[in-house]
Amino acid sequence: MRQAVQGCRGCPLYRNATQAVFGEGPRAARVFLVGEQPGNDEDLAGHPFVGPAGRVLDEAMEEAGLDRQETYVTNVVKHFKWEAKGKRRMHKKPGAREISACLPWLEKEIELIRPRVLVCLGATAAQALLGKDFKVTAHRGEVLESALAEHALATIHPSSVLRQRTPADRRGEREGLARDLAVATRLLQAK
């Protein structure tokens, strides 16, 4: 699948992306983290969550007691959607067409991994997997029912931590992300 996704032409995003960025992690991962789409750094490197948002995620996971080497990380959309701002490529939110074109890839990843806990990072992931009307702000950190995994939950996307204006606000959002991820840790420990 990792090789096949490179030939995906289900939507126009492939035209401006360096490559498709498929999920990574062990086949036996019990926790499955899914974000929106690869960013600039991920597009260039070919790996999910390796840029600034990935560093925030790693810190929050460590604080929550989750080992990145034992989790599967991926995105709903497999190609980077961006717009030029001078010489920089800036993130642009994927639309319904791009999300629906990539959904079969994501569904197959979930089917193959069969995670115990599915964690949606941000509104795009949550709405793609938990329902289009899902509100992360209303259900953040709650344990939810889903046919995709034994347990599901949604939290903010790590990039939202980076968008906070003050250091105190960034620290507060990162701590909130870690608290939400700790729910996944507790679910794994419960039998």
Side-chain angles (χ1 to χ4, degrees):
M1 284 182 58
R2 188 168 278 110
Q3 291 173 339
V5 76
Q6 298 305 324
C8 183
R9 303 297 182 258
C11 75
L13 290 184
Y14 75 92
R15 293 183 190 134
N16 294 320
T18 305
Q19 59 195 314
V21 180
F22 205 68
E24 294 181 343
R27 181 88 186 263
R30 296 181 306 149
V31 177
F32 190 104
L33 302 172
V34 58
E36 178 183 89
Q37 69 169 330
N40 186 66
D41 292 339
E42 291 78 9
D43 177 63
L44 297 173
H47 302 284
F49 288 97
V50 296
R55 288 189 288 280
V56 169
L57 179 61
D58 288 344
E59 291 170 6
M61 287 178 68
E62 185 176 336
E63 188 176 319
L66 291 175
D67 184 344
R68 172 118 179 215
Q69 300 304 313
E70 295 177 7
T71 62
Y72 191 88
V73 293
T74 193
N75 286 292
V76 173
V77 174
K78 306 304 182 193
H79 287 102
F80 178 36
K81 183 174 183 176
W82 58 275
E83 59 187 359
K85 295 270 181 157
K87 293 183 179 184
R88 297 183 65 196
R89 300 187 313 165
M90 301 303 291
H91 166 274
K92 188 171 180 185
K93 184 178 173 90
R97 178 179 177 198
E98 291 118 4
I99 292 167
S100 65
C102 281
L103 211 47
W105 296 108
L106 179 59
E107 289 169 342
K108 191 64 174 177
E109 285 176 291
I110 294 169
E111 179 186 323
L112 291 172
I113 301 299
R114 294 182 15 209
R116 188 153 175 230
V117 182
L118 172 70
V119 180
C120 297
L121 301 170
T124 299
Q127 290 169 356
L129 295 174
L130 302 174
K132 65 180 172 118
D133 296 324
F134 187 88
K135 301 278 189 241
V136 172
T137 53
H139 300 287
R140 179 178 177 176
E142 291 179 16
V143 180
L144 306 163
E145 290 192 24
S146 171
L148 302 171
E150 186 178 333
H151 306 287
L153 65 110
T155 186
I156 60 170
H157 193 282
S159 65
S160 69
V161 172
L162 300 170
R163 291 191 300 269
Q164 299 303 308
R165 292 181 182 239
T166 69
D169 290 343
R170 285 189 292 278
R171 185 173 45 258
E173 280 293 279
R174 197 198 55 71
E175 289 170 356
L177 175 60
R179 274 192 307 276
D180 294 342
L181 293 175
V183 172
T185 302
R186 288 192 297 278
L187 290 169
L188 291 178
Q189 294 167 345
K191 282 285 175 175

